[in-house]
Amino acid sequence: MRGKRIFVAAAFYTGCLTLSIHTYTEQLSQPVMEDYGRLLPVKIKKVQKMTEETELQKIIKEANASNEKISIAGMQHSQGGHTYYPGSTVLDMKGYNKILEFHPKQKIIRVQSGATWNDIQRVINPYGLALQVMQSQNIFTVGGSLSVNVHGRDIRHDAFIDTVQSFRLLMADGSIQNISREEKPDLFYLVIGGYGLFGVVLDVTLRLTEDELYKKRTRVIDYKDYTSYFRKNVENDDRVRMHLARISVEPESFLQEMYVTDYMLAADQERRKRYSALKEDTNIVLPKFFLGLSRYSGWGKTMFWNIQKEYFERTDGSYETRNNAMRSDTAFMEYESPNRTEILQEYFVPINKFSVYIDSLYDVLEEEDLNVLNITVRYVKKNEDAVLSYAKQDMFALVFLINQGRSKSEIEKTEKVIQKMIDVTLQHDGSYYLPYYAYPSKQQLHQAYPRIEEFFMEKKKYDSKERFVNLFYKEYRE
Ligand SMILES: Cc1cc2nc3c(=O)[nH]c(=O)nc-3n(C[C@H](O)[C@H](O)[C@H](O)COP(=O)(O)OP(=O)(O)OC[C@H]3O[C@@H](n4cnc5c(N)ncnc54)[C@H](O)[C@@H]3O)c2cc1C
C-alpha cells in the first residue's frame, strides 16, 4: 500500500516537473515583440511571413482550428501595440507587396497591402502620377495606412478614406470579401481606420492624381494669426495644394511663433519634368545633431528652432514636385537610447478654435514637465465616413514629438500630462489620433470617438471568436 502511494507521488511529481520544464522552455523560445514606441515589449507566439494569398488563408484556417490569436503588422510605426498581442501569431505583411494592376489613363492602381508608398511612387512617378493622400513620409505600408485612415499635407482631399476605391478582406471565417462603398459599405467604413481588427486587408485599389510642380511659399507668423492666414491664403486659394506649419517649442517663443509652408501650383507645369526625379536619401547629419542637442536643453531647442526656421525661409520660392514633397526623411529622428524613447501624440482641433486652444495648452505645458521636441501642424478636412473618424469638422492636426523615459514611473508621469492635454483638446471640441500609445483614458476615448461601442460590437459580430486582436483592443475593450 505504502509502495503504491510512493509510486503515485513520484509519478505526479515527475509529471509536474515535465510540464513546468515544457512551459519554461516554451516561454524562453517565445520571441519578444515591440513597436517603434518601445514602451510595450510583449511575448508573442511567432512572426509569420508570407508572399501568397493561399498562405494567409492557411494561417487563418489553422488559427481557427487551434484557437490562436492573430495580429497584423506593417512597418509597426504605430506606437500602442496595435500590431501584436501576448501569445499571438503576428502576420508580417511586408513581403506581401506586389503591384497587381496599374492603369495610368484611369489613374487607378491596385496593390497588395504590404507595399509601401515608396514602392508605389517608384511605379507611378514616371507616368506623371502621384498619390492623393498619404503621410509626409513614404516609409509606411498601404495596409497600415488604411487601417489607421491616415492624413497628410494635401488639403484638397479629405483623409485617406477619400482615395480608396475598394479593397479585399480576408475575414476570420476564412472567406475573402470585396469591399467598397457599394459592396458591403458597413465593412468599408469599419475596416478603414479599423486597426486590423476585422481581418487581413489583402489588396487595395486606390485613386491617383497628377504629379504637379509646386512653388513653395513660406511665412513666419504669430499663432494668433494662423487661422485667418489659413482661411485667406490657403483654403480660399485654389492654387495652394498642400500645406504644413510648425509651432515653436523653444523657450522664448514657445507656442507663439509659427512658420508655414504652402505648396502653390507652379504657373509653368512644363517645368515639372526638370524636378521629377524622385529624391533619395537627404543629408541627415546636421538635423540629427541639432535634434540631439534639443533633447537635453532649452538652448538646444532654441538653436534647432532657429536653424529649422532659417532653412525653411530659404526654401521660399523654390520648386518641388508633389511626389517629392511626400518623401520626407525620418532617418534623422532615429533614436536608440536604452532608457528613453520618443513618442508621438496627435490632437485635432477645429480651425476656428486654434488660438484659444493653444492658450489653454500653453497653461498646461507651462506647469508640467514634458520634453516636447517638435510640433507640426496640418489641416484635415471634415470627413465622418469612417466609424472611427477623427475629423468631425475642418480641423488642424497638431503632431507632438515627445522625449520620455521608458520606466514605469516615467510612463505614469507622461500619462498624467497627456491626459491633461487631451482634456483640453476635448474641451475645445477636438479629438486625438489613435495609432499612438494608450495614454488616453477609456473615458477620453469614448468622448473623442462616440461610435467606439458600436465599433466594438461590430467587431464581435464579424469576428465572434476574437481571432484578430492587438494591445489597443485589449486595453480599451477589456
Ligand atoms: C514618424 C512618423 C510620422 C507619421 N506621420 C503621420 C502622418 O503624417 N499622418 C498620419 O496620418 N499618420 C502619421 N503617422 C502614423 C502612421 O501613419 C501610422 O502609425 C501607420 O499605421 C503606420 O503604418 P505602418 O505600415 O507602420 O502600420 P503598422 O503600425 O504596422 O499597423 C497599423 C495598424 O494597421 C493594421 N494593419 C497593418 N497592415 C494590415 C493589413 N494588411 N490588414 C489589416 N490590418 C493591417 C495593424 O494591425 C495596426 O493596427 C506617423 C507615424 C510616425 C512614426
Side-chain angles (χ1 to χ4, degrees):
M1 188 62 187
R2 191 162 166 262
K4 197 173 167 195
R5 263 200 233 125
I6 290 172
F7 175 75
V8 172
F12 178 71
Y13 176 75
T14 316
C16 287
L17 188 69
T18 316
L19 189 69
S20 29
I21 289 174
H22 177 72
T23 316
Y24 180 66
T25 330
E26 207 172 54
Q27 276 178 1
L28 275 186
S29 66
Q30 280 180 316
V32 172
M33 175 160 272
E34 59 183 354
D35 52 29
Y36 272 80
R38 296 199 299 134
L39 291 176
L40 282 167
V42 161
K43 277 190 177 174
I44 57 158
K45 183 172 182 210
K46 61 176 187 291
V47 176
Q48 188 98 43
K49 297 184 180 199
M50 82 306 292
T51 53
E52 302 299 326
E53 185 174 303
T54 46
E55 292 172 76
L56 277 163
Q57 282 178 299
K58 189 164 166 265
I59 297 169
I60 304 296
K61 199 170 161 202
E62 284 168 3
N64 280 333
S66 57
N67 197 21
E68 266 174 37
K69 299 292 184 196
I70 292 190
S71 311
I72 313 166
M75 286 294 168
Q76 299 198 288
H77 277 289
S78 297
Q79 300 181 344
H82 299 76
T83 51
Y84 54 99
Y85 183 84
S88 73
T89 293
V90 174
L91 304 182
D92 174 352
M93 300 301 294
K94 292 195 291 289
Y96 193 74
N97 62 353
K98 293 192 194 81
I99 308 285
L100 300 173
E101 288 174 50
F102 174 40
H103 306 288
K105 280 211 176 101
Q106 289 81 8
K107 298 187 192 140
I108 293 282
I109 194 161
R110 186 162 76 93
V111 298
Q112 288 181 334
S113 61
T116 62
W117 297 130
N118 189 27
D119 296 333
I120 300 182
Q121 283 180 328
R122 287 187 189 291
V123 172
I124 64 179
N125 190 56
Y127 292 84
L129 293 173
L131 287 147
Q132 291 187 354
V133 175
M134 57 175 271
Q135 301 89 328
S136 300
Q137 292 87 13
N138 63 2
I139 53 177
F140 307 104
T141 62
V142 174
S145 303
L146 178 144
S147 304
V148 309
N149 189 19
V150 298
H151 50 274
R153 294 180 186 192
D154 181 278
I155 55 162
R156 300 289 161 206
H157 295 95
D158 306 354
F160 181 67
I161 192 166
D162 194 30
T163 80
V164 180
Q165 184 160 302
S166 61
F167 56 90
R168 290 192 316 135
L169 186 71
L170 171 57
M171 300 193 59
D173 63 5
S175 67
I176 294 178
Q177 307 286 339
N178 290 323
I179 316 246
S180 67
R181 287 176 185 79
E182 295 75 36
E183 269 183 282
K184 310 217 168 21
D186 50 342
L187 274 169
F188 187 83
Y189 301 118
L190 284 163
V191 176
I192 301 185
Y195 291 86
L197 292 168
F198 291 84
V200 186
V201 174
L202 294 174
D203 41 74
V204 185
T205 305
L206 290 172
R207 288 191 280 260
L208 304 170
T209 186
E210 305 277 328
D211 188 28
E212 295 171 327
L213 183 65
Y214 299 139
K215 188 173 183 179
K216 289 196 222 174
R217 178 177 69 193
T218 62
R219 296 284 179 271
V220 177
I221 57 174
D222 188 89
Y223 78 105
K224 287 214 163 85
D225 302 326
Y226 182 51
T227 299
S228 56
Y229 175 88
F230 184 84
R231 289 228 187 269
K232 188 165 158 239
N233 301 298
V234 179
E235 199 180 23
N236 288 324
D237 184 346
D238 277 348
R239 292 170 307 163
V240 184
R241 301 301 171 96
M242 305 210 299
H243 170 83
L244 183 77
R246 278 193 164 78
I247 185 160
S248 168
V249 293
E250 69 90 22
E252 282 300 303
S253 57
F254 187 64
L255 293 190
Q256 269 200 339
E257 192 175 45
M258 296 185 73
Y259 61 86
V260 299
T261 306
D262 302 322
Y263 296 79
M264 324 262 304
L265 193 63
D268 179 7
Q269 286 298 310
E270 285 301 305
R271 295 176 69 197
R272 188 188 63 83
K273 283 214 171 81
R274 274 176 53 192
Y275 295 86
S276 69
L278 291 179
K279 70 180 179 199
E280 299 301 340
D281 304 340
T282 42
N283 188 347
I284 59 161
V285 177
L286 278 182
K288 199 173 170 72
F289 174 73
F290 286 110
L291 177 64
L293 285 185
S294 79
R295 286 183 178 118
Y296 303 104
S297 65
W299 65 262
K301 288 187 174 63
T302 305
M303 206 177 247
F304 192 34
W305 174 253
N306 289 336
I307 282 169
Q308 271 181 317
K309 201 171 63 179
E310 261 172 47
Y311 168 77
F312 279 95
E313 280 179 311
R314 261 190 281 125
T315 62
D316 188 39
S318 65
Y319 290 91
E320 193 169 38
T321 62
R322 181 181 180 88
N323 276 330
N324 277 328
M326 287 167 153
R327 283 176 85 77
S328 307
D329 214 321
T330 46
F332 78 96
M333 289 166 64
E334 275 160 22
Y335 180 57
E336 272 141 28
S337 159
N339 305 320
R340 302 192 68 78
T341 187
E342 252 137 48
I343 59 148
L344 292 170
Q345 282 287 295
E346 180 164 355
Y347 307 136
F348 304 94
V349 65
I351 62 177
N352 55 354
K353 299 206 168 156
F354 181 76
S355 77
V356 279
Y357 170 67
I358 292 293
D359 289 338
S360 307
L361 211 54
Y362 182 92
D363 293 341
V364 173
L365 292 175
E366 202 188 28
E367 272 178 17
E368 302 289 346
D369 171 25
L370 189 72
N371 193 3
V372 181
L373 302 181
N374 188 41
I375 308 175
T376 54
V377 185
R378 284 137 218 231
Y379 165 73
V380 192
K381 214 169 169 181
K382 176 180 173 177
N383 187 310
E384 295 191 277
D385 291 349
V387 173
L388 295 189
S389 58
Y390 41 78
K392 312 177 249 201
Q393 316 179 29
D394 292 348
M395 299 283 205
F396 284 135
L398 285 84
V399 184
F400 293 71
L401 178 68
I402 297 163
N403 182 284
Q404 69 157 94
R406 295 172 68 202
S407 66
K408 191 165 172 281
S409 63
E410 284 280 332
I411 292 175
E412 282 166 4
K413 194 177 108 190
T414 311
E415 177 172 86
K416 198 180 104 226
V417 188
I418 282 181
Q419 290 195 353
K420 280 191 184 177
M421 291 165 77
I422 293 178
D423 275 341
V424 164
T425 310
L426 295 171
Q427 280 155 19
H428 290 83
D429 295 330
S431 183
Y432 68 90
Y433 202 27
L434 293 174
Y436 302 125
Y437 188 79
Y439 282 128
S441 67
K442 282 187 182 162
Q443 202 233 324
Q444 289 177 323
L445 173 72
H446 279 81
Q447 207 178 327
Y449 291 89
R451 296 179 73 188
I452 190 76
E453 275 311 313
E454 174 193 342
F455 176 83
F456 287 144
M457 275 165 59
E458 292 290 321
K459 192 269 184 301
K460 285 284 282 200
K461 184 175 111 192
Y462 284 108
D463 179 14
S464 57
K465 305 248 169 64
E466 296 181 311
R467 187 69 53 230
F468 297 104
V469 283
N470 57 42
L471 288 180
F472 162 75
Y473 184 66
K474 180 172 154 54
E475 176 69 27
Y476 290 104
R477 180 60 183 151
E478 284 166 12

